[in-house]
Amino acid sequence: MDLRSPMAAVASDLLRYRARHDGGYWNTTGAARFVLVSELAPLMRADGCQTFAHGCVGGGNDQRRFARYGAQVAPGLSVIEPWTNPQALERFPDREAMLAAVAEHGLRLDPGSSAERSTDANLAGISHESAELEDLETPVTRLRPRWSNWPGQGPAEPETVTVTFLDGRVADVNGSGPDPVAWMTLANEIGARHGVWLRDVVERRIIGTVCRGIYEAPGLELLERAWSRILQASLDAAGRELYDRLAAVLGAAMYEARWLEPAAQAARDGIDRLVGEVGGSVTLSVHRGLVQVERMKVASAVVQQTRFGSGGNRWS
């Protein structure tokens, strides 16, 4: 099934609510699990299915995400978790055995994945994991980006990007129009071309461990620069402080698969009140990993200091 539209809609939510996790990276993997279950499980149940299965490692983040969202979205479906089954563990004791089975049966392997490496990609971003990258002493330059250039590989000349916001959401990126699939795709292309993408973090996981992860989200990284400037110019100090607190709640909620729970709904309602009428446009200059704000217009009413513009002897 083509789930680009719902994935783009959730990416729009990630940006609106700045729902990021440890180290400020975007929750694109957690968001994808929400989209998969919320879009597919009801159709499976309507088609007469009684169970759904996933291949996530037993006890990991994704196992809990599928279990939580499955219980909320399609409580009538039981969940099969192969990696809690002793027979499955005996048949596939390691990733080498899994890779051999994939090759033997002619199954499609996600680009960039192997027995030693794993990528997880969707319209909003890509996560990179490997035995090598789990070592905190491994330089990030050992990574092979899937979409993006490194900053030094970008074009020699900067590129100008204008992002327009309406009612607290992206309405256009360089003429893309308001369709989230269109502006997310274009923002990804621009950010990837200019090396705007990298988050190298040590994250605290649901299961209580810490793990290094490297994340490629060029579109969201680019758009966040514009959205942050709009917020800074549109919200007063108390509103911005509350926004940031609620955004932290939502970052954790997306990571921990609690996006549908009351606390997350209340946090979204709060931010919706704050940014529901926020709008404007921001023009960015993008060049080799650097994003600079060139100019902006704000649609909402703001009180701007004009001390120097009024002669330097009074405030307005």
Side-chain angles (χ1 to χ4, degrees):
M1 293 195 63
D2 185 347
L3 299 183
R4 285 176 295 177
S5 288
M7 189 68 235
V10 173
S12 178
D13 282 347
L14 291 178
L15 183 66
R16 177 183 177 91
Y17 304 120
R18 296 186 84 205
R20 303 180 298 177
H21 192 51
D22 267 3
Y25 78 90
W26 297 98
N27 272 292
T28 59
T29 303
R33 305 306 178 246
F34 170 64
V35 170
L36 286 170
V37 177
S38 61
E39 294 294 323
L40 297 180
L43 296 178
M44 295 171 65
R45 185 171 57 182
D47 204 36
C49 296
Q50 298 178 353
T51 64
F52 75 87
H54 62 77
C56 301
V57 175
N61 284 347
D62 280 334
Q63 178 187 345
R64 300 190 181 198
R65 289 167 176 154
F66 279 116
R68 285 175 180 167
Y69 287 136
Q72 294 171 320
V73 173
L77 292 179
S78 59
V79 182
I80 297 175
E81 299 171 337
W83 301 116
T84 63
N85 185 311
Q87 289 179 305
L89 296 175
E90 182 179 358
R91 170 68 177 85
F92 299 106
D94 51 37
R95 291 180 61 89
E96 285 78 8
M98 300 179 208
L99 182 63
V102 168
E104 177 186 350
H105 292 85
L107 301 175
R108 185 172 63 88
L109 188 66
D110 197 43
S113 296
S114 67
E116 292 298 324
R117 289 179 176 266
S118 173
T119 65
D120 189 284
N122 58 68
L123 183 64
I126 305 172
S127 64
H128 296 266
E129 296 179 337
S130 74
E132 181 182 35
L133 294 174
E134 285 179 353
D135 184 346
L136 300 182
E137 294 188 3
T138 300
V140 69
T141 50
R142 294 284 296 171
L143 175 73
R144 295 191 295 269
R146 180 162 161 184
W147 289 348
S148 305
N149 286 325
W150 290 100
Q153 299 171 330
E157 298 299 322
E159 182 172 355
T160 299
V161 183
T162 298
V163 185
T164 302
F165 297 91
L166 179 65
D167 297 333
R169 292 192 183 275
V170 176
D172 185 83
V173 176
N174 271 12
S176 67
D179 178 12
V181 173
W183 57 252
M184 190 75 250
T185 300
L186 182 57
N188 278 334
E189 292 173 355
I190 296 170
R193 181 162 58 245
H194 290 275
V196 182
W197 61 274
L198 177 66
R199 290 281 173 166
D200 175 17
V201 302
V202 179
E203 67 188 70
R204 291 164 289 188
R205 299 171 69 85
I206 296 173
I207 58 177
T209 62
V210 296
C211 182
R212 184 192 198 184
I214 299 178
Y215 297 87
E216 200 174 346
L220 288 173
E221 290 287 336
L222 177 71
L223 295 170
E224 192 271 342
R225 307 296 205 282
W227 180 232
S228 292
R229 180 56 67 96
I230 286 285
L231 289 176
Q232 198 67 20
S234 301
L235 300 181
D236 61 17
R240 183 57 195 268
E241 180 183 3
L242 178 58
Y243 177 97
D244 289 341
R245 290 186 180 188
L246 295 175
V249 170
L250 290 169
M254 183 59 83
Y255 186 80
E256 297 174 2
R258 301 187 184 279
W259 194 249
L260 298 177
E261 295 184 3
Q265 181 61 60
R268 290 197 296 277
D269 289 345
I271 287 182
D272 289 343
R273 290 286 298 273
L274 291 171
V275 305
E277 297 181 357
V278 167
S281 64
V282 180
T283 298
L284 305 170
S285 175
V286 190
H287 186 225
R288 294 187 171 175
L290 183 64
V291 182
Q292 298 273 26
V293 176
E294 287 197 343
R295 58 188 179 274
M296 68 177 297
K297 294 180 180 179
V298 182
S300 53
V302 294
V303 180
Q304 183 179 349
Q305 175 179 312
T306 57
R307 177 180 54 156
F308 284 91
S310 60
N313 62 349
R314 62 188 182 274
W315 299 76
S316 63

